[in-house]
Amino acid sequence: MFGFFKANPVKKLRKEHDAKLEQAMYAQRNGDIRGYAMLTAEAESIWKEIESIESQ
């Protein structure tokens, strides 16, 4: 009945994913390729979490 009060975990994960991709973009622009790779890998793991939640 009050399901609309619950936080949407996918929405939170999408925000985190977008933030990681933005950080990765700035790292790449600054020439920090190692940091770019790490941030992109973190964004990819967050994306896999999103896909697993949405598939349920």
Side-chain angles (χ1 to χ4, degrees):
M1 180 174 167
F2 291 103
F4 58 89
F5 287 124
K6 293 182 182 180
N8 187 357
V10 174
K11 186 175 181 180
K12 181 181 175 187
L13 287 173
R14 283 187 189 268
K15 275 188 167 181
E16 288 180 29
H17 178 258
D18 291 341
K20 289 289 180 186
L21 287 178
E22 186 175 355
Q23 290 173 355
M25 177 191 65
Y26 287 124
Q28 185 182 28
R29 284 184 179 176
N30 291 328
D32 184 12
I33 302 303
R34 199 170 283 163
Y36 168 75
M38 289 175 33
L39 289 167
T40 305
E42 290 176 19
E44 184 67 27
S45 68
I46 292 171
W47 186 254
K48 287 182 181 180
E49 286 181 47
I50 292 170
E51 287 180 336
S52 69
I53 290 173
E54 287 180 343
S55 68
Q56 292 177 351

